[in-house]
Protein backbone atom coordinates (compact mmCIF):
# COMPACT_ATOMS: atom_id res chain seq x y z
CA UNK A 1 0.00 0.00 0.00
CA UNK A 2 1.19 3.49 -0.77
CA UNK A 3 0.37 7.03 0.31
CA UNK A 4 -1.85 7.61 -2.71
CA UNK A 5 -2.55 4.98 -5.34
CA UNK A 6 -2.23 5.91 -9.01
CA UNK A 7 -3.87 2.86 -10.61
CA UNK A 8 -6.67 3.89 -12.98
CA UNK A 9 -10.25 2.95 -12.15
CA UNK A 10 -11.94 0.20 -14.20
CA UNK A 11 -14.96 0.87 -16.36
CA UNK A 12 -18.37 0.83 -14.67
CA UNK A 13 -19.41 -2.51 -16.18
CA UNK A 14 -16.05 -4.05 -15.37
CA UNK A 15 -16.18 -2.66 -11.84
CA UNK A 16 -19.60 -4.21 -11.23
CA UNK A 17 -18.45 -7.61 -12.49
CA UNK A 18 -15.36 -7.39 -10.31
CA UNK A 19 -17.46 -6.48 -7.27
CA UNK A 20 -20.15 -9.12 -7.90
CA UNK A 21 -18.83 -11.73 -5.41
CA UNK A 22 -18.59 -9.11 -2.67
CA UNK A 23 -22.10 -7.81 -3.36
CA UNK A 24 -23.55 -11.33 -3.50
CA UNK A 25 -21.94 -12.17 -0.18
CA UNK A 26 -23.18 -8.91 1.32
CA UNK A 27 -26.76 -9.57 0.20
CA UNK A 28 -26.59 -13.08 1.70
CA UNK A 29 -25.38 -11.78 5.06
CA UNK A 30 -27.99 -9.04 5.21
CA UNK A 31 -30.73 -11.46 4.17
CA UNK A 32 -29.70 -13.78 7.00
CA UNK A 33 -29.78 -10.89 9.47
CA UNK A 34 -33.23 -9.71 8.33
CA UNK A 35 -34.68 -13.23 8.32
CA UNK A 36 -33.42 -13.82 11.84
CA UNK A 37 -34.85 -10.49 12.95
CA UNK A 38 -38.27 -11.23 11.45
CA UNK A 39 -38.43 -14.70 13.03
CA UNK A 40 -37.23 -13.43 16.42
CA UNK A 41 -39.67 -10.51 16.35
CA UNK A 42 -42.58 -12.73 15.32
CA UNK A 43 -41.87 -15.02 18.26
CA UNK A 44 -42.13 -11.96 20.54
CA UNK A 45 -45.27 -10.59 18.84
CA UNK A 46 -43.37 -7.58 17.54
CA UNK A 47 -43.14 -6.08 14.07
CA UNK A 48 -39.65 -6.36 12.66
CA UNK A 49 -40.50 -3.75 10.06
CA UNK A 50 -41.51 -1.30 12.78
CA UNK A 51 -38.23 -1.94 14.55
CA UNK A 52 -36.39 -1.10 11.33
CA UNK A 53 -38.36 1.98 10.32
CA UNK A 54 -40.20 3.57 13.24
CA UNK A 55 -38.02 3.79 16.34
CA UNK A 56 -35.53 6.29 17.74
CA UNK A 57 -33.79 8.44 15.12
CA UNK A 58 -35.93 7.00 12.31
CA UNK A 59 -38.97 8.73 13.83
CA UNK A 60 -37.14 12.04 13.94
CA UNK A 61 -36.14 11.79 10.29
CA UNK A 62 -39.71 10.96 9.26
CA UNK A 63 -40.97 13.94 11.24
CA UNK A 64 -38.53 16.23 9.42
CA UNK A 65 -39.67 14.80 6.08
CA UNK A 66 -43.32 15.26 6.97
CA UNK A 67 -43.36 18.58 8.83
CA UNK A 68 -40.00 20.20 8.17
CA UNK A 69 -37.75 21.69 10.83
CA UNK A 70 -38.92 23.40 13.98
CA UNK A 71 -40.22 20.48 16.03
CA UNK A 72 -38.76 20.05 19.51
CA UNK A 73 -39.42 18.17 22.73
CA UNK A 74 -38.85 19.82 26.10
CA UNK A 75 -37.96 17.36 28.81
CA UNK A 76 -38.73 17.66 32.52
CA UNK A 77 -35.05 18.30 33.32
CA UNK A 78 -34.98 21.30 31.00
CA UNK A 79 -33.27 19.65 28.04
CA UNK A 80 -34.58 20.60 24.61
CA UNK A 81 -34.49 17.95 21.89
CA UNK A 82 -34.78 19.76 18.56
CA UNK A 83 -35.06 18.07 15.17
CA UNK A 84 -32.50 20.60 13.92
CA UNK A 85 -29.92 18.14 15.23
CA UNK A 86 -30.74 15.84 12.29
CA UNK A 87 -29.15 16.67 8.95
CA UNK A 88 -31.49 16.97 5.96
CA UNK A 89 -30.41 14.58 3.19
CA UNK A 90 -32.25 11.48 4.42
CA UNK A 91 -35.52 13.39 5.06
CA UNK A 92 -35.21 14.96 1.60
CA UNK A 93 -34.85 11.52 0.04
CA UNK A 94 -37.75 10.16 2.11
CA UNK A 95 -39.90 13.04 0.88
CA UNK A 96 -38.80 12.40 -2.72
CA UNK A 97 -39.70 8.70 -2.52
CA UNK A 98 -43.10 9.54 -1.04
CA UNK A 99 -43.72 12.12 -3.77
CA UNK A 100 -43.05 9.76 -6.69
CA UNK A 101 -44.51 6.55 -5.24
CA UNK A 102 -47.30 5.32 -2.94
CA UNK A 103 -44.75 4.61 -0.21
CA UNK A 104 -44.83 6.42 3.13
CA UNK A 105 -41.96 8.47 4.49
CA UNK A 106 -40.95 5.55 6.72
CA UNK A 107 -41.07 3.19 3.74
CA UNK A 108 -38.92 5.65 1.83
CA UNK A 109 -36.36 5.68 4.62
CA UNK A 110 -36.15 1.89 4.55
CA UNK A 111 -35.82 1.85 0.75
CA UNK A 112 -33.07 4.47 0.86
CA UNK A 113 -31.28 2.44 3.52
CA UNK A 114 -31.46 -0.81 1.54
CA UNK A 115 -30.22 0.80 -1.68
CA UNK A 116 -27.56 2.78 0.17
CA UNK A 117 -26.28 -0.32 1.95
CA UNK A 118 -25.63 -1.96 -1.42
CA UNK A 119 -23.95 1.21 -2.68
CA UNK A 120 -21.87 1.31 0.51
CA UNK A 121 -20.82 -2.33 0.10
CA UNK A 122 -19.77 -1.64 -3.49
CA UNK A 123 -17.90 1.50 -2.43
CA UNK A 124 -16.09 -0.35 0.35
CA UNK A 125 -15.10 -3.04 -2.14
CA UNK A 126 -13.89 -0.43 -4.63
CA UNK A 127 -11.65 1.23 -2.03
CA UNK A 128 -10.33 -2.02 -0.56
CA UNK A 129 -9.78 -3.58 -4.00
CA UNK A 130 -7.92 -0.48 -5.16
CA UNK A 131 -5.66 -0.45 -2.11
CA UNK A 132 -5.35 -4.12 -1.13
CA UNK A 133 -6.54 -6.27 -4.02
CA UNK A 134 -9.75 -8.02 -5.03
CA UNK A 135 -9.82 -10.82 -2.46
CA UNK A 136 -9.15 -8.42 0.40
CA UNK A 137 -11.90 -6.22 -1.04
CA UNK A 138 -14.41 -9.07 -0.82
CA UNK A 139 -13.29 -9.82 2.74
CA UNK A 140 -13.61 -6.15 3.73
CA UNK A 141 -17.22 -6.02 2.52
CA UNK A 142 -18.13 -9.25 4.31
CA UNK A 143 -16.44 -8.08 7.52
CA UNK A 144 -18.47 -4.86 7.37
CA UNK A 145 -21.63 -6.90 6.81
CA UNK A 146 -21.05 -9.21 9.79
CA UNK A 147 -20.27 -6.52 12.34
CA UNK A 148 -22.34 -7.11 15.51
CA UNK A 149 -24.37 -3.94 14.87
CA UNK A 150 -24.66 -4.67 11.15
CA UNK A 151 -28.46 -4.72 11.40
CA UNK A 152 -28.28 -0.90 11.53
CA UNK A 153 -27.25 -1.04 7.86
CA UNK A 154 -30.85 -2.07 7.10
CA UNK A 155 -32.55 0.47 9.37
CA UNK A 156 -34.05 3.79 8.27
CA UNK A 157 -30.99 5.51 9.71
CA UNK A 158 -28.20 7.44 7.97
CA UNK A 159 -25.31 5.01 8.54
CA UNK A 160 -25.65 3.22 5.19
CA UNK A 161 -26.32 6.41 3.23
CA UNK A 162 -23.36 8.18 4.78
CA UNK A 163 -21.01 5.21 4.36
CA UNK A 164 -21.93 4.95 0.67
CA UNK A 165 -21.21 8.64 0.05
CA UNK A 166 -18.00 8.52 2.09
CA UNK A 167 -16.65 5.35 0.45
CA UNK A 168 -17.24 6.57 -3.08
CA UNK A 169 -15.83 10.00 -2.26
CA UNK A 170 -12.67 8.36 -0.92
CA UNK A 171 -12.47 6.16 -4.02
CA UNK A 172 -12.79 9.25 -6.20
CA UNK A 173 -9.90 10.84 -4.29
CA UNK A 174 -7.76 7.72 -4.73
CA UNK A 175 -8.41 7.73 -8.47
CA UNK A 176 -7.89 11.47 -8.94
CA UNK A 177 -11.54 12.42 -9.60
CA UNK A 178 -11.55 15.56 -7.50
CA UNK A 179 -14.86 17.11 -8.57
CA UNK A 180 -16.67 13.83 -7.96
CA UNK A 181 -14.95 13.50 -4.59
CA UNK A 182 -15.93 17.03 -3.61
CA UNK A 183 -19.54 16.59 -4.74
CA UNK A 184 -19.96 13.35 -2.79
CA UNK A 185 -18.32 14.97 0.24
CA UNK A 186 -20.87 17.79 -0.06
CA UNK A 187 -23.74 15.29 0.13
CA UNK A 188 -22.04 13.39 2.96
CA UNK A 189 -21.91 16.70 4.83
CA UNK A 190 -25.69 16.99 4.41
CA UNK A 191 -26.16 13.54 5.95
CA UNK A 192 -24.37 13.55 9.31
CA UNK A 193 -22.13 15.88 11.33
CA UNK A 194 -19.30 13.40 10.79
CA UNK A 195 -19.41 14.42 7.14
CA UNK A 196 -16.55 16.68 8.18
CA UNK A 197 -14.37 13.55 8.11
CA UNK A 198 -14.94 13.21 4.36
CA UNK A 199 -14.24 16.91 3.89
CA UNK A 200 -10.99 16.56 5.84
CA UNK A 201 -9.92 13.58 3.72
CA UNK A 202 -10.54 15.47 0.47
CA UNK A 203 -8.74 18.58 1.67
CA UNK A 204 -5.73 16.80 3.14
CA UNK A 205 -5.34 14.64 0.02
CA UNK A 206 -5.62 17.68 -2.25
CA UNK A 207 -3.10 19.68 -0.22
CA UNK A 208 -0.71 16.73 -0.17
CA UNK A 209 -1.12 16.40 -3.94
CA UNK A 210 -0.30 20.09 -4.42
CA UNK A 211 2.76 19.64 -2.21
CA UNK A 212 3.96 16.64 -4.21
CA UNK A 213 3.44 18.52 -7.44
CA UNK A 214 5.41 21.45 -6.07
CA UNK A 215 8.31 19.19 -5.11
CA UNK A 216 8.17 17.49 -8.50
CA UNK A 217 8.19 20.85 -10.27
CA UNK A 218 11.14 21.95 -8.17
CA UNK A 219 12.98 18.82 -9.23
CA UNK A 220 12.15 19.43 -12.90
CA UNK A 221 9.97 16.30 -12.88
CA UNK A 222 6.62 16.11 -14.71
CA UNK A 223 3.59 17.10 -12.66
CA UNK A 224 1.16 14.19 -12.64
CA UNK A 225 -2.46 13.75 -11.72
CA UNK A 226 -3.21 10.86 -9.31
CA UNK A 227 -5.17 8.11 -11.02
CA UNK A 228 -4.25 9.02 -14.58
CA UNK A 229 -0.50 9.28 -14.84
CA UNK A 230 -1.04 12.31 -17.10
CA UNK A 231 0.48 15.74 -16.49
CA UNK A 232 -1.58 17.82 -14.09
CA UNK A 233 -2.06 20.92 -16.18
CA UNK A 234 -4.23 23.94 -15.42
CA UNK A 235 -7.46 22.01 -15.96
CA UNK A 236 -6.42 19.30 -13.53
CA UNK A 237 -5.45 21.89 -10.93
CA UNK A 238 -8.78 23.65 -11.44
CA UNK A 239 -10.67 20.40 -10.87
CA UNK A 240 -8.73 19.77 -7.69
CA UNK A 241 -9.48 23.26 -6.38
CA UNK A 242 -13.14 22.91 -7.36
CA UNK A 243 -13.33 19.64 -5.45
CA UNK A 244 -11.91 21.37 -2.38
CA UNK A 245 -14.46 24.17 -2.69
CA UNK A 246 -17.41 21.80 -3.10
CA UNK A 247 -16.48 19.40 -0.29
CA UNK A 248 -17.41 21.52 2.78
CA UNK A 249 -20.49 23.23 1.32
CA UNK A 250 -22.98 20.66 2.62
CA UNK A 251 -21.91 20.51 6.25
CA UNK A 252 -20.99 24.19 6.53
CA UNK A 253 -24.14 25.27 4.72
CA UNK A 254 -26.45 23.34 7.02
CA UNK A 255 -24.65 24.43 10.19
CA UNK A 256 -24.80 28.08 9.13
CA UNK A 257 -28.48 27.71 8.22
CA UNK A 258 -29.23 26.29 11.67
CA UNK A 259 -27.40 29.20 13.26
CA UNK A 260 -29.43 31.65 11.20
CA UNK A 261 -32.68 29.77 11.86
CA UNK A 262 -32.14 29.77 15.62
CA UNK A 263 -30.77 33.31 15.71
CA UNK A 264 -27.68 32.09 17.57
CA UNK A 265 -25.09 32.74 14.90
CA UNK A 266 -22.55 30.41 13.26
CA UNK A 267 -22.24 28.19 16.35
CA UNK A 268 -25.97 27.78 16.86
CA UNK A 269 -25.79 24.12 15.87
CA UNK A 270 -23.61 23.43 18.91
CA UNK A 271 -26.40 24.80 21.11
CA UNK A 272 -28.83 22.42 19.41
CA UNK A 273 -26.53 19.50 20.17
CA UNK A 274 -26.10 20.73 23.73
CA UNK A 275 -29.86 20.42 24.14
CA UNK A 276 -29.38 16.71 23.52
CA UNK A 277 -26.49 16.72 26.03
CA UNK A 278 -24.16 15.87 23.21
CA UNK A 279 -20.75 17.42 22.68
CA UNK A 280 -17.03 16.71 22.32
CA UNK A 281 -15.02 16.38 25.52
CA UNK A 282 -12.06 14.34 24.32
CA UNK A 283 -13.52 11.12 25.69
CA UNK A 284 -13.62 12.14 29.35
CA UNK A 285 -17.31 11.33 29.84
CA UNK A 286 -16.90 8.00 28.06
CA UNK A 287 -13.92 7.14 30.27
CA UNK A 288 -16.01 7.86 33.37
CA UNK A 289 -18.84 5.74 31.94
CA UNK A 290 -16.43 2.82 31.51
CA UNK A 291 -14.91 3.34 34.97
CA UNK A 292 -18.36 3.26 36.57
CA UNK A 293 -18.82 -0.26 35.24
CA UNK A 294 -16.15 -1.49 37.62
CA UNK A 295 -18.11 -0.49 40.71
CA UNK A 296 -20.20 -3.66 40.61
CA UNK A 297 -20.36 -7.17 39.21
CA UNK A 298 -21.25 -8.38 36.58
CA UNK A 299 -21.18 -4.83 35.19
CA UNK A 300 -17.38 -5.06 35.45
CA UNK A 301 -17.45 -7.61 32.64
CA UNK A 302 -19.09 -5.01 30.42
CA UNK A 303 -16.35 -2.57 31.42
CA UNK A 304 -13.69 -5.06 30.38
CA UNK A 305 -15.50 -5.57 27.09
CA UNK A 306 -15.59 -1.82 26.44
CA UNK A 307 -11.88 -1.47 27.14
CA UNK A 308 -11.07 -4.38 24.84
CA UNK A 309 -13.30 -2.87 22.16
CA UNK A 310 -11.65 0.56 22.31
CA UNK A 311 -8.17 -1.01 22.41
CA UNK A 312 -9.06 -3.08 19.33
CA UNK A 313 -10.18 0.02 17.43
CA UNK A 314 -6.95 1.82 18.31
CA UNK A 315 -4.88 -1.24 17.38
CA UNK A 316 -6.60 -1.53 13.99
CA UNK A 317 -5.96 2.13 13.26
CA UNK A 318 -2.29 1.89 14.26
CA UNK A 319 -1.96 -1.22 12.11
CA UNK A 320 -3.42 0.69 9.18
CA UNK A 321 -0.81 3.40 9.70
CA UNK A 322 1.97 0.82 9.80
CA UNK A 323 0.64 -0.80 6.63
CA UNK A 324 0.78 2.63 4.99
CA UNK A 325 -2.85 2.97 4.11
CA UNK A 326 -3.40 5.93 1.77
CA UNK A 327 -3.47 9.28 3.54
CA UNK A 328 -7.15 10.04 2.75
CA UNK A 329 -8.23 6.80 4.44
CA UNK A 330 -6.16 7.48 7.54
CA UNK A 331 -7.51 11.02 7.87
CA UNK A 332 -11.10 9.95 7.33
CA UNK A 333 -10.88 7.01 9.74
CA UNK A 334 -9.11 9.07 12.37
CA UNK A 335 -11.77 11.78 12.37
CA UNK A 336 -14.69 9.31 12.39
CA UNK A 337 -13.14 7.33 15.22
CA UNK A 338 -12.29 10.42 17.28
CA UNK A 339 -15.79 11.85 16.93
CA UNK A 340 -17.37 8.52 17.83
CA UNK A 341 -15.25 7.76 20.88
CA UNK A 342 -14.87 11.28 22.21
CA UNK A 343 -18.51 12.38 22.12
CA UNK A 344 -19.82 13.14 25.60
CA UNK A 345 -23.16 11.36 25.38
CA UNK A 346 -25.06 8.38 23.94
CA UNK A 347 -22.46 5.81 24.90
CA UNK A 348 -24.62 2.94 23.66
CA UNK A 349 -24.53 4.46 20.17
CA UNK A 350 -20.76 4.31 19.79
CA UNK A 351 -20.66 0.92 18.00
CA UNK A 352 -23.03 2.13 15.29
CA UNK A 353 -21.26 5.50 15.09
CA UNK A 354 -18.13 3.54 14.16
CA UNK A 355 -19.89 1.72 11.30
CA UNK A 356 -18.71 4.26 8.68
CA UNK A 357 -15.08 3.75 9.76
CA UNK A 358 -14.72 0.83 7.35
CA UNK A 359 -10.98 1.34 6.65
CA UNK A 360 -10.41 -0.04 10.16
CA UNK A 361 -11.34 -3.41 8.69
CA UNK A 362 -8.62 -3.41 6.02
CA UNK A 363 -5.92 -5.03 8.22
CA UNK A 364 -8.35 -7.83 9.10
CA UNK A 365 -9.39 -8.16 5.46
CA UNK A 366 -5.77 -8.51 4.39
CA UNK A 367 -5.16 -11.19 7.01
CA UNK A 368 -8.34 -13.05 6.06
CA UNK A 369 -7.47 -12.88 2.37
CA UNK A 370 -4.30 -14.87 3.06
CA UNK A 371 -6.27 -17.73 4.62
CA UNK A 372 -7.59 -20.58 2.49
CA UNK A 373 -10.96 -19.72 0.99
CA UNK A 374 -12.79 -22.60 2.67
CA UNK A 375 -11.50 -21.63 6.08
CA UNK A 376 -12.22 -17.91 5.63
CA UNK A 377 -15.74 -18.75 4.42
CA UNK A 378 -16.32 -20.89 7.52
CA UNK A 379 -15.08 -18.12 9.81
CA UNK A 380 -17.21 -15.46 8.13
CA UNK A 381 -20.25 -17.77 8.08
CA UNK A 382 -20.00 -18.41 11.80
CA UNK A 383 -19.60 -14.70 12.54
CA UNK A 384 -22.54 -13.88 10.25
CA UNK A 385 -24.79 -16.29 12.15
CA UNK A 386 -23.73 -14.85 15.50
CA UNK A 387 -24.19 -11.31 14.20
CA UNK A 388 -27.69 -12.12 12.93
CA UNK A 389 -28.73 -13.50 16.32
CA UNK A 390 -27.17 -10.59 18.18
CA UNK A 391 -28.81 -8.04 15.88
CA UNK A 392 -32.25 -9.60 16.39
CA UNK A 393 -31.75 -9.75 20.16
CA UNK A 394 -30.40 -6.20 20.32
CA UNK A 395 -33.11 -4.62 18.19
CA UNK A 396 -35.87 -6.42 20.08
CA UNK A 397 -34.40 -5.09 23.29
CA UNK A 398 -32.95 -1.65 23.88
CA UNK A 399 -31.58 -1.34 20.36
CA UNK A 400 -29.66 1.69 19.06
CA UNK A 401 -30.56 4.95 20.83
Amino acid sequence: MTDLETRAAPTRAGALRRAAPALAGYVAVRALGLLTLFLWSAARDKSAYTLLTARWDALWYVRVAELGYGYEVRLANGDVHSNLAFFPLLPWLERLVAAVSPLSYADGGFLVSVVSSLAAAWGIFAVADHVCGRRAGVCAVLLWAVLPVGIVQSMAYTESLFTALAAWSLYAVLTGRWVTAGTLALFAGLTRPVGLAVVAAVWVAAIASFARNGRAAGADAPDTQPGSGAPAGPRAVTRRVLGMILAPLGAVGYVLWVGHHTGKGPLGYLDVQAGWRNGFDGGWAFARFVADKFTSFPAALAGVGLIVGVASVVWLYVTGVRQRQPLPLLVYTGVVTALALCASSYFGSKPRLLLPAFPLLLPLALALAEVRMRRSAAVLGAIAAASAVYGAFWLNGSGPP
Side-chain angles (χ1 to χ4, degrees), residues 277-338:
R277 291 188 179 271
N278 199 16
F280 187 89
D281 65 356
W284 174 244
F286 184 43
R288 286 186 298 164
F289 173 78
V290 174
D292 287 343
K293 296 293 183 182
F294 291 93
T295 59
S296 63
F297 188 87
L301 297 178
V304 172
L306 288 170
I307 292 174
V308 171
V310 172
S312 298
V313 168
V314 174
W315 176 79
L316 287 171
Y317 185 77
V318 171
T319 302
V321 174
R322 290 177 175 173
Q323 292 178 343
R324 297 188 64 215
Q325 285 185 14
L327 180 61
L329 300 190
L330 293 175
V331 171
Y332 167 77
T333 308
V335 175
V336 172
T337 302

Side-chain angles (χ1 to χ4, degrees), residues 241-268:
V241 172
L242 181 56
M244 295 178 70
I245 293 172
L246 288 170
L249 294 183
V252 173
Y254 180 69
V255 168
L256 291 178
W257 178 83
V258 170
H260 174 74
H261 183 77
T262 59
K264 296 184 178 180
L267 300 181

Side-chain angles (χ1 to χ4, degrees), residues 120 123-124 127 144 147 149-150 152-153 157-168 170 188 191-195 197-198 328-329 331-337 339-340 349-362:
I124 291 170
V127 170
W144 191 67
L147 288 172
V149 293
V152 175
Q153 297 163 16
Y157 272 41
T158 57
E159 272 72 16
S160 290
L161 177 60
F162 176 78
T163 303
L165 293 167
W168 284 109
L170 291 169
T191 307
R192 299 175 63 86
V194 75
V198 189
L329 300 190
V331 171
Y332 167 77
T333 308
V335 175
V336 172
T337 302
L339 291 177
S349 297
K350 294 190 182 298
R352 72 173 178 87
L353 295 179
L354 285 168
L355 266 179
F358 67 89
L360 288 173
L361 300 173
L362 293 186

Side-chain angles (χ1 to χ4, degrees), residues 211-228:
R212 282 193 302 273
N213 291 342
R215 289 195 298 269
D220 293 327
D223 190 16
T224 59
Q225 171 71 10
S228 67

